[in-house]
Amino acid sequence: MDRTTIEDQGVRLRPLRRTDAADVVAACSDPLTQRFLPLLPRPYTESDALWWIEEGAEAEWRQGGGVWAIADPDTDRLLGTVGLHRVVRERAQAEVGYWVGPWARGRGVATAATVALAAHAFAHGFARLELLTELENVASQRVALAAGFQREAVRRGVAPDRDGARTDLLAFARLAGDPPGPVVRWLPDLPGGELSDGVVTLRPLLPGDEDFLYTLLNQPDVVATSVPAVAPDRREIALRCARSQAHWLAGDRADLVILDTATGRPTGDIGLYYQERNTGQAMIGYAMLPEWRGRGFPTRAVQLVALWSFAETSIARLTAGTNPQNAGSQRVLEKAGFQREGYHRSRLPGANGRRIDDVSFAMVAADLLSRATS
């Protein structure tokens, strides 16, 4: 690659300079940067920045890639960096990497820089660009999707951390022939970040919900109706909270917390599992803490999820299953507008190697519409 300055997408990509060192130090000393770049020196000094500008970045150029400063086109101040790394010449392939300083985040800088660099790379003979990011790094995943990189796989144990452990990374890729624009999301963000009917509010499951979710999913009756019927441990719960947004962005699952709107307290959870995207069919499941049962919260939550699903996604049919003995859950679905469709013998794995029956319910958009107009 050449060292051409690229002016595109409202940003300037230019070679790094010694005068960028102070901004590099500030960005690389930021806790968020260090969290997702764990091998950075700590503390990160001016000497580290100058070495990287004069030697580390130079090595990328010699290997056929390159590192550009993302600069403000008006002031030329460094906002972050973007680069092409791990070039595989025989495959015309490289890996895109970036970081943005805390003073420039939330402005679409990383997305703009990635789009601009990808166009430049494809114009200079590259055929495939990869982008790797942690499952917990939601902001980076949003950048990848917005820049037109499609999620491909989870690569296990790819990245070492400071303690010698190995971290899984998500792999995204963009080909030279891919259509322009962002990747279409199967499950978009909630409007305003939440759903509410004034009594219950649904928001995405997030890091920080671990204690609540552990308590909920370890209720004996919740464990008994889970698949598999095994109580999750705290590590499993922590991963679920940390990676819930990655599943949402992938379009395969939306995990939501049911809140009491009046107090803001978490009362239960509801999940949407989009496992049949080719047929437009998804499944829901829910659970409530014992002290919040009997107030109609699950019915309201199911209706909110159904309305959002039919209005904002390509989902055409929602399904749900219950244990034949779980009359309470069946009443929730019927009140929400689901219709009973069948009885499936030994459909699900239960505790101690046993199989359990399942009563199936379903709702289509017309069911919700008919209830609204009746």
Side-chain angles (χ1 to χ4, degrees), residues 21-255:
D23 283 331
V24 171
V25 171
C28 292
S29 299
D30 176 68
L32 187 61
T33 305
Q34 294 198 343
R35 177 185 174 191
F36 293 118
L37 295 175
L39 299 185
L40 285 174
R42 298 183 188 181
Y44 195 93
T45 66
E46 183 181 17
S47 296
D48 295 316
L50 290 172
W51 176 89
W52 183 66
I53 292 169
E54 297 178 342
E55 298 186 44
E58 284 298 313
E60 298 288 352
W61 292 105
R62 290 193 299 271
Q63 293 166 12
V67 178
W68 285 260
I70 308 170
D72 186 308
D74 296 323
T75 65
D76 204 44
R77 182 187 178 185
L78 181 138
L79 305 176
T81 69
V82 65
L84 294 175
H85 313 284
R86 298 176 180 85
V87 174
V88 184
R89 297 177 187 272
E90 61 271 23
R91 296 182 180 176
Q93 174 180 303
E95 182 182 320
V96 176
Y98 47 77
W99 54 257
V100 173
W103 58 91
R105 292 173 187 155
R107 295 162 44 184
V109 167
T111 298
T114 301
V115 171
L117 182 56
H120 184 73
F122 290 142
H124 285 75
F126 283 91
R128 173 182 168 88
L129 298 177
E130 294 190 344
L131 194 160
L132 304 182
T133 186
E134 297 81 357
L135 279 84
E136 296 81 5
N137 193 342
V138 177
S140 189
Q141 293 168 48
R142 289 184 178 274
V143 168
L145 294 171
F149 284 67
Q150 297 184 36
R151 174 170 163 159
E152 291 190 336
V154 175
R155 295 187 179 174
R156 296 182 302 138
V158 170
D161 62 21
R162 300 180 73 88
D163 300 322
R166 308 289 297 187
T167 303
D168 297 345
L169 295 180
L170 274 175
F172 295 81
R174 182 169 177 81
L175 306 183
D178 284 344
V183 173
V184 176
R185 295 263 307 275
W186 288 97
L187 294 176
D189 295 332
L190 301 180
E194 63 182 29
L195 303 173
S196 182
D197 65 358
V199 177
V200 300
T201 297
L202 310 183
R203 64 152 174 84
L205 180 72
L206 299 169
D209 289 322
E210 292 85 357
D211 289 344
F212 152 72
L213 193 63
Y214 180 82
T215 299
L216 174 67
L217 299 186
N218 276 270
Q219 296 296 318
D221 58 342
V222 175
V223 173
T225 57
S226 299
V227 180
V230 178
D233 60 25
R234 289 196 175 273
R235 180 181 180 278
E236 183 180 345
I237 292 294
L239 282 176
R240 180 168 171 177
C241 292
R243 297 178 173 182
S244 61
Q245 292 299 287
H247 288 291
W248 195 309
L249 291 171
D252 56 43
R253 174 176 181 159
D255 285 309

Side-chain angles (χ1 to χ4, degrees), residues 216 219 221-222 258 267-269 286-290 292-293 297-298:
L216 174 67
Q219 296 296 318
D221 58 342
V222 175
I258 305 171
T267 66
D269 78 338
Y286 46 83
M288 293 293 296
L289 289 170
W292 291 95
R293 295 173 188 171
F297 282 17

